[in-house]
Amino acid sequence: MKRNQFIKILVKSTVALLIPVLGQMFVNGWNWGLGDFVFAWVFFNLLGITYTFVQNRINNRAWKILAGLIVIGIFAFVWIRLATG
């Protein structure tokens, strides 16, 4: 993986956390602690790095799409499981 790809993933995952930060400030009942933000940031980065690593190794477009769908499915499964307890 190239260094600029890694930096893009870090920046995008950090920007994605602006939504929960704004929710924390303006929405009543949004109760994220520091650990929740750290977990979300690490989780976003791991998924981004995993997808980028797999994408760089695959040449077939259909397999790249399948890899993306699998990563999205893993993300949704873990996020929903953690959100519902």
Side-chain angles (χ1 to χ4, degrees):
M1 180 179 332
K2 297 178 184 174
R3 187 170 194 252
N4 63 347
Q5 288 177 321
F6 186 71
I7 291 171
K8 284 181 184 180
I9 293 168
L10 293 176
V11 169
K12 288 177 182 179
S13 66
T14 304
V15 169
L17 285 178
L18 289 176
I19 295 169
V21 167
L22 291 173
Q24 190 81 1
M25 293 190 316
F26 298 113
V27 176
N28 292 331
W30 194 301
N31 299 321
W32 276 30
L34 180 62
D36 298 321
F37 284 102
V38 171
F39 172 79
W41 187 77
V42 170
F43 187 54
F44 292 164
N45 285 319
L46 285 175
L47 288 174
I49 290 168
T50 302
Y51 176 70
T52 304
F53 179 77
V54 171
Q55 178 188 13
N56 289 339
R57 303 285 185 271
I58 298 173
N59 294 325
N60 188 342
R61 185 170 184 229
W63 286 104
K64 285 184 181 187
I65 293 170
L66 180 62
L69 291 173
I70 290 170
V71 169
I72 290 170
I74 291 169
F75 170 79
F77 176 77
V78 172
W79 198 265
I80 290 168
R81 292 291 298 164
L82 291 173
T84 58

